[in-house]
C-alpha cells in the first residue's frame, strides 16, 4: 500500500460537529466525510518538492512553507480524528491549520516562483529523481509532475483561504 499526502478543506463548524459526534458515538466515530471537491491527494509530489527545496542553493523558507502546508500545525485539538474512519493509523494523526494559517500559506504558495524552483532541478532525469527522493528512476516528466502538484496545492489553499476554511492534513 502506497502512502499519500491528503488534505481536506473544512469549516471550523464542521470540525466542531465531528468532535461532538466522536464524543457522542459508542465507537467514537467522528462521521468524517468532507465533500470530494474539498479533498486533495498530493501523492508523493510535495515530499519531493520539499526535499528538492532543502538542497544546495534553495531558499529554506520555501521548504518550510511547503512542509507546513502538508504537515499542519502542532496546536489544535484534533484527537477525535485519530480514528480508522479518517486515516489508517500508519503515520501521525491528522493535524489542522486554522483559517488564519491557511491564508498565510496561500499567500506564501502564490509567491513561489515555480519556474525558477523547477529550473534548479538537476539536468539528468536520474539526478533530478534522486534529488527529490524518488530514487534513480522516475517514469514520466518529473518537472511537469511537480509543477502539476504545486499548482493543485496552490489552488487548494487559495480556495480554502477565500472560503475561510481550516485545512486538515494527514498521511494515508
Amino acid at each position: 500500500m502506497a502512502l499519500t499526502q491528503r488534505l481536506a478543506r473544512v469549516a471550523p463548524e464542521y470540525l466542531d460537529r465531528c468532535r461532538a459526534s466522536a464524543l457522542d458515538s459508542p465507537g467514537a466515530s467522528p462521521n468524517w466525510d468532507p465533500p470530494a471537491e474539498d479533498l486533495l491527494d498530493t501523492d508523493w509530489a510535495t515530499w519531493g518538492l520539499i526535499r528538492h527545496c532543502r538542497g544546495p542553493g534553495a531558499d529554506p523558507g520555501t521548504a518550510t512553507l511547503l512542509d507546513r502546508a502538508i504537515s499542519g500545525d502542532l496546536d489544535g485539538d484534533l484527537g477525535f480524528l485519530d480514528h480508522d474512519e479518517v486515516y489508517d493509523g500508519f503515520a501521525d494523526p491528522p493535524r489542522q491549520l486554522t483559517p488564519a494559517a491557511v491564508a498565510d500559506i496561500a499567500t506564501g504558495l502564490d509567491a513561489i516562483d515555480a519556474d525558477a524552483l523547477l529550473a534548479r532541478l538537476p539536468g539528468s532525469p536520474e539526478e533530478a529523481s534522486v534529488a527529490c527522493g524518488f530514487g534513480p528512476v522516475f517514469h514520466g516528466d518529473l518537472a511537469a509532475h511537480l509543477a502539476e502538484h504545486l499548482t493543485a496545492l496552490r489552488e487548494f489553499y487559495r480556495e480554502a483561504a477565500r472560503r475561510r476554511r481550516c485545512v486538515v492534513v494527514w498521511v494515508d
Side-chain angles (χ1 to χ4, degrees), residues 8-30:
R9 297 184 282 245
V10 295
E13 299 80 17
Y14 181 79
L15 289 175
D16 291 341
R17 284 192 302 275
C18 288
R19 183 180 290 107
S21 175
L23 290 171
D24 291 341
S25 72
S29 171

Side-chain angles (χ1 to χ4, degrees), residues 19-81:
R19 183 180 290 107
S21 175
L23 290 171
D24 291 341
S25 72
S29 171
N31 289 318
W32 175 256
D33 192 22
E37 63 271 11
D38 286 323
L39 298 172
L40 178 66
D41 183 341
T42 67
D43 196 25
W44 306 341
T46 310
W47 299 335
L49 273 171
I50 290 169
R51 184 161 175 162
H52 171 58
C53 290
R54 289 186 175 137
D59 172 13
T62 301
T64 300
L65 173 69
L66 290 168
D67 187 50
R68 185 177 183 209
I70 64 166
S71 298
D73 289 333
L74 292 175
D75 59 345
D77 177 22
L78 290 186
F80 62 93
L81 292 180

